[in-house]
Amino acid sequence: MARPPAKDLTERELEVMHVFWSRGEATAAEARDRLEEAGLDRTYATIANLVRGLQEKGFLEQVNAERPFVYRAARTFEDVSGRLLGDLVSRVFRGSRAQLLRRLVDERKLTAEEKAVLEKILKEGGR
């Protein structure tokens, strides 16, 4: 029996999604070119398969009917990153955001920018 498609993104699928989140609409060839510019050398066939899989999973949507097909993100970065982060907190830190924060801070010294962002978040009451 065939295994159902995974709902989560693989590392390579996430790489492709970042192209669409930053660019908006693109063809598979344009996505491949953007990845290559970022130092990620992937074949066109690999990217085309990833794009097709992302469409089947509901992460991308096709915006035209003629070739070359143009796609755009069907789910926002905020939605996807929030779900992935929530899963990380749940599975790795057993639901403890405090443990996640401690781990992030203990990992390496915070930059001035990171400290400023953290201070702003705390002043705004967490939002």
Side-chain angles (χ1 to χ4, degrees):
M1 177 159 55
R3 194 169 155 189
K7 293 179 186 174
D8 291 330
L9 295 173
T10 66
E11 185 174 340
R12 287 195 175 179
E13 287 172 335
L14 194 53
E15 292 170 355
V16 172
M17 285 303 299
H18 277 289
V19 170
F20 289 94
W21 287 323
S22 65
R23 186 172 171 88
E25 296 181 352
T27 64
E30 291 167 337
R32 194 207 73 78
D33 292 346
R34 296 301 83 71
L35 289 168
E36 185 177 49
E37 289 170 6
L40 299 170
D41 188 23
R42 309 283 187 255
T43 67
Y44 171 77
T46 296
I47 299 305
N49 285 331
L50 289 167
V51 166
R52 191 170 23 263
L54 286 164
Q55 181 187 15
E56 290 170 4
K57 287 181 176 183
F59 287 91
L60 292 177
E61 58 189 11
Q62 186 177 314
V63 298
N64 65 339
E66 65 282 341
R67 292 184 182 266
F69 297 127
V70 177
Y71 300 89
R72 70 173 160 232
R75 297 181 56 193
T76 65
F77 172 78
E78 291 74 19
D79 174 46
V80 173
S81 63
R83 192 180 58 72
L84 290 172
L85 185 57
D87 184 53
L88 176 75
V89 170
S90 177
R91 292 183 326 132
V92 177
F93 297 98
R94 296 184 180 198
S96 174
R97 294 184 302 171
Q99 286 184 13
L100 170 65
L101 289 170
R102 172 55 58 200
R103 184 71 182 117
L104 286 171
V105 172
D106 287 347
E107 183 66 23
R108 63 176 170 76
K109 186 176 178 180
L110 293 176
T111 66
E113 179 185 3
E114 291 166 340
K115 285 180 184 178
V117 168
L118 186 55
E119 287 172 3
K120 183 178 179 191
I121 291 169
L122 293 172
K123 284 179 185 174
E124 293 174 354
R127 275 251 180 235

